[in-house]
């Protein structure tokens, strides 16, 4: 009898769980999608290696520097954008490349001499994106490889020994070091302040958890339907626009207040600074707040039950946040994913907040994120209004 | 005060409400009854403006102030108060704050709003709990607050959708007192319920729906007259009674037997009872107990809508 009861209880739990198709899909789909995401990022062996976008400025224009430039450009590890020094540095500062390599005037001559210990080493400035500093090591290593190879080629031999001046002993060759030095320069808004890693973390986590709040806005509407509150609200002399608009407004205000508190903590405790345009930061914050509330309304429009909707919405949010670069820097994404993630609003929110804080960019850099976030807000709101089920009950 | 004419609503091929007309006058409580799936909820939703009718019209008010719901929805809705079946209140807002919110939705503000909130809370006996949150209320108190939320804008028409579900007899009586007070103040009340005794106590008239149509609309007294039997007899008898023969011989109506219990309807108690007892004795059915009663609204309801289960 005990066994029969035990079996019945176990069967009941299994039937209840497996008959809840939404929960089942979530339990299966979520790990598959997230595992696929990380697998794609950290290499499945099926894709070509990710090319690191860098900028390259050759201020020397010597035969050696041009050879180095050509070698770097030909390197499959790099996606090189050539230009002058200012443009290269701007690209790094805007986060469009991981690093900007600047070969100084006289690089070729100085490097050749430095190779044999005569004269100072030329200093190659590498302006790097400090939020993605792991790329710096790779840039330095590959740069050294290409400079050494170009030097070897330029002295007409395949080995460095051929470049040795007459009379130099073998013993002295053991003291060889790289014929150039690198100066790592953080590409941030302020040269007098080091990069603050909290700035990017707060952008990412702020976006993630405020979107979670947006989910609650949507689930709140579904709960109001279930509790009959929605019926009471709709029985009042209020237009549909006013009813939905009030939800968008309250959701946006809540999101804005939360973002303000989160950044107040970031600034007060973790010394994050808005080194760029304050107006741009506020603009992005407002646009993201509107996005959050319209996302909540979209959830309310397409959701069925509060429980199932909350699960699916959290999943969707996590995917958006992953693709937005809040968990891992987007430069480690495969190229196709880097492109694809541009259609994810969270990417624009995180990048926009980064631009206005530690990157120190001006208002013009905020215009595109604001426009994209507002466009997504309008899209979400339009779908929500279109899909919203006004007529209840259907009995 | 509330008038519906020829309301029709279908979902797909299924007509949920078909050609429904009803009216509720000022100072009157009209009960809207019907089995599950009869179309009551859709009717209420159309009367409140929650669902648009495919055909037909709803009017609020009389004479020069009469408004068509589909033509001037906002003005008409201002004169309607809705008490949903669900507890449609914000649990985390205080009782007065709830009413202030719902009053504001109807354009009230300032001193008038506060005055109306106080009056509504006083009517439902929650004046001393104005600041408390409903999450600390009993079920009955929540129900009363649910009603107060529909009163705060002082509507002419009140629509109650099963407002006493799950409340104890004390709270139910308190709610009945509230409704009767509102009727005495000249409000028009439409009251849907599954509890026949509630309709019998409260309603001046009753509208019974089935399959989306009105099958009866009258005063209780007139509805009772439609029954084939106004009185009922219940007897404890021995043996299985031949119900067809009993009916044919004695003139009793709707005889049913459940074990030893025999239930019959009679038109005239004084004439039918002796004939019934004589017939039972003649056919060998000993009678151990007999009781009489009047037909009630449930009998009317079942006679009009049948005994078949509705899901």
């Amino acid at each position: 009898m005990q066994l029969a009861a035990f079996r019945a209880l176990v069967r009941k739990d299994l039937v209840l769980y497996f008959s809840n198709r939404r929960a089942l899909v979530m339990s299966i789909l979520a790990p598959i999608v997230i595992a696929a995401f990380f697998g794609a990022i950290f290499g499945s062996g099926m894709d070509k290696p990710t090319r690191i976008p860098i900028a390259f400025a050759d201020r020397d224009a010597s035969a050696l520097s041009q050879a180095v430039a050509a070698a770097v450009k030909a390197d499959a590890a790099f996606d090189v954008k050539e230009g002058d020094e200012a443009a290269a540095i701007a690209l790094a500062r805007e986060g469009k490349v991981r690093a900007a390599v600047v070969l100084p005037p006289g690089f070729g001559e100085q490097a050749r001499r430095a190779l044999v210990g005569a004269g100072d080493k030329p200093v190659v400035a590498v302006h790097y994106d400090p939020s993605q500093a792991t790329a710096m090591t790779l840039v330095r290593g590959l740069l050294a490889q290409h400079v050494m190879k170009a030097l070897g080629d330029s002295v007409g031999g395949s080995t460095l020994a051929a470049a040795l001046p007459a009379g130099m002993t073998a013993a002295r060759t053991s003291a060889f070091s790289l014929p150039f030095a690198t100066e790592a320069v953080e590409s941030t808004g302020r040269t007098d302040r080091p990069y603050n890693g909290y700035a990017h973390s707060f952008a990412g986590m702020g976006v993630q958890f405020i979107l979670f709040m947006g989910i609650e806005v949507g689930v709140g509407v579904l709960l109001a339907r279930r509790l009959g509150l929605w019926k009471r609200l709709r029985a009042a002399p209020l237009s549909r626009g006013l009813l939905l608009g009030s939800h968008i407004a309250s959701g946006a205000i809540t999101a804005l207040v939360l973002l303000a508190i989160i950044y107040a903590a970031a600034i007060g405790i973790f010394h994050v600074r808005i080194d760029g345009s304050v107006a741009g930061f506020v603009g992005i914050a407002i646009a993201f707040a509107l996005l959050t509330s319209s996302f909540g309304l979209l959830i309310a429009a397409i959701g069925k039950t509060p429980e199932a909707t909350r699960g699916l919405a959290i999943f969707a949010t996590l995917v958006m946040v992953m693709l937005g670069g809040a968990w891992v820097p987007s430069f480690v994404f495969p190229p196709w994913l880097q492109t694809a993630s541009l259609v994810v609003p969270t990417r624009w929110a995180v990048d926009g907040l980064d631009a206005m804080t530690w990157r120190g960019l001006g208002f013009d850099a905020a215009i595109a994120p604001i426009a994209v976030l507002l466009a997504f807000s309008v899209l979400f709101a339009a779908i929500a209004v279109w899909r919203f089920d006004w007529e209840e009950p259907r009995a | 005060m509330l008038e519906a004419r020829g309301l029709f609503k279908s979902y797909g091929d299924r007509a949920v409400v078909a050609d429904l007309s009803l009216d509720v006058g000022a100072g009157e409580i009209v009960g809207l009854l019907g089995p599950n799936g009869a179309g009551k909820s859709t009717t209420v939703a159309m009367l409140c403006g929650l669902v648009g009718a495919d055909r037909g019209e709803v009017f609020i008010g009389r004479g020069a102030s009469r408004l068509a719901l589909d033509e001037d929805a906002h003005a008409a809705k201002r004169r309607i108060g809705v008490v949903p079946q669900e507890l449609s209140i914000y649990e985390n807002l205080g009782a007065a704050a709830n009413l202030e919110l719902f009053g504001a939705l109807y354009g009230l503000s300032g001193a008038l709003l506060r005055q109306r909130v106080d009056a509504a809370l006083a009517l439902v006996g929650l004046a001393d709990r104005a600041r408390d949150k409903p999450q600390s209320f009993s079920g009955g108190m929540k129900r009363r607050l649910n009603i107060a939320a529909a009163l705060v804008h002082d509507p002419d028409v009140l629509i109650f959708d099963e407002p006493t579900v799950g409340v104890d007899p004390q709270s139910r009586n308190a709610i009945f007192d509230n409704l009767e007070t509102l009727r005495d103040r000249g409000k028009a009340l439409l009251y849907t319920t599954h509890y026949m005794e509630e309709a019998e106590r409260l309603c001046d008239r009753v509208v019974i729906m089935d399959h989306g149509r009105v099958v009866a609309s009258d005063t209780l007294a007139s509805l009772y007259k439609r029954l084939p039997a106004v009185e009922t007899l219940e007897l404890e008898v021995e043996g299985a009674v031949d119900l067809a023969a009993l009916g044919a011989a004695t003139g009793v109506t709707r005889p049913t037997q459940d074990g030893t219990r025999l239930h019959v309807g009679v038109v005239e108690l004084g004439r039918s009872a002796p004939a019934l007892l004589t017939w039972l004795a003649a056919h060998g059915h000993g009678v151990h107990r007999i009781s009489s009663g009047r037909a009630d609204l449930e009998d009317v309801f079942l006679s009009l809508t049948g005994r078949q289960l509705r899901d």
Side-chain angles (χ1 to χ4, degrees), chain A residues 227 231-232 234 391 393 395, chain B residues 16 42 50 77 82 88 146:
Chain A
L227 298 174
K231 205 182 283 181
R232 175 157 263 158
R234 286 205 49 234
E391 291 219 337
Chain B
V16 180
T42 304
L50 297 178
K77 282 180 170 183
V82 181
S88 310
N146 201 34

